[in-house]
Amino acid sequence: MDYQTTVSNKEATTKKEKRKKNTIYDQKPTPAFVGASWASLFVGTIAFCIGLWNADMLLNEKGYYFTILLFGLFSVISVQKAVRDKLEGIEVTKIYYSISWATTVISIVLLIIGLWNADLELSEKGFYGISFMLSIYAAIAVQKNTRDIAYIERNQKEKDLF
């Protein structure tokens, strides 16, 4: 008996190519995941803002943290869009892709620097950090769900036409 125990490079390459070509995204996110994503975005963002509203800090400090929240949310949505565009074969310039990632990292670093130097209790610093991270993660999930649903609906319309 002559058993073949290895796969040649040519066979492995063609199998990978077939897998890549056959990848079809036709599973809509479940309503539970969509709802959980939106709920997480609202809970994180509103908690962060309520914390700022009730904080005993100067108005310019509150403005700094609020701006960092908005900057972070926009940055992660931009990163998710750029990553998804590349996945779908839509051209994304390297500079836009790099700037999206850089602004995301910068927003997180600015929050860390602000909290490090803030005259706040450690529990307050943790609260702002966690609610910020929850918000930006949820923004990515909401954007992903939105793109998934739009992609699937667009492909379904194209199938229905033919």
Side-chain angles (χ1 to χ4, degrees), residues 13-67:
T13 304
T14 56
K15 286 181 182 180
K16 286 180 183 178
E17 288 174 1
K18 285 181 183 178
R19 268 191 249 135
K20 284 184 180 180
K21 288 180 185 176
N22 294 336
T23 303
I24 298 173
Y25 303 102
D26 61 352
Q27 293 287 328
K28 278 188 179 182
T30 63
F33 184 66
V34 172
S37 300
W38 278 104
S40 298
L41 179 61
F42 287 128
V43 166
T45 304
I46 291 171
F48 191 92
C49 292
I50 289 172
L52 283 180
W53 183 268
N54 292 322
D56 187 27
M57 61 176 75
L58 298 174
L59 193 56
N60 64 339
E61 288 179 278
K62 290 179 181 184
Y64 173 80
Y65 289 114
F66 184 69
T67 303

Side-chain angles (χ1 to χ4, degrees), residues 33-145:
F33 184 66
V34 172
S37 300
W38 278 104
S40 298
L41 179 61
F42 287 128
V43 166
T45 304
I46 291 171
F48 191 92
C49 292
I50 289 172
L52 283 180
W53 183 268
N54 292 322
D56 187 27
M57 61 176 75
L58 298 174
L59 193 56
N60 64 339
E61 288 179 278
K62 290 179 181 184
Y64 173 80
Y65 289 114
F66 184 69
T67 303
I68 294 298
L69 176 67
L70 295 179
F71 182 47
L73 290 173
F74 182 79
S75 295
V76 296
I77 289 171
S78 188
V79 166
Q80 201 284 332
K81 181 191 180 331
V83 168
R84 185 60 180 265
D85 284 352
K86 287 178 90 169
L87 179 69
E88 291 178 5
I90 300 169
E91 186 178 346
V92 178
T93 62
K94 289 181 182 179
I95 190 73
Y96 180 77
Y97 187 73
S98 300
I99 288 172
S100 298
W101 274 108
T103 56
T104 297
V105 171
I106 289 168
S107 69
I108 295 168
V109 168
L110 286 173
L111 181 75
I112 291 169
I113 291 169
L115 290 175
W116 185 273
N117 294 310
D119 188 25
L120 298 171
E121 295 291 325
L122 194 55
S123 60
E124 290 177 291
K125 291 178 181 184
F127 167 79
Y128 288 117
I130 293 297
S131 59
F132 179 81
M133 294 307 288
L134 173 65
S135 297
I136 65 172
Y137 174 77
I140 293 169
V142 166
Q143 172 67 6
K144 180 196 175 307
N145 292 338

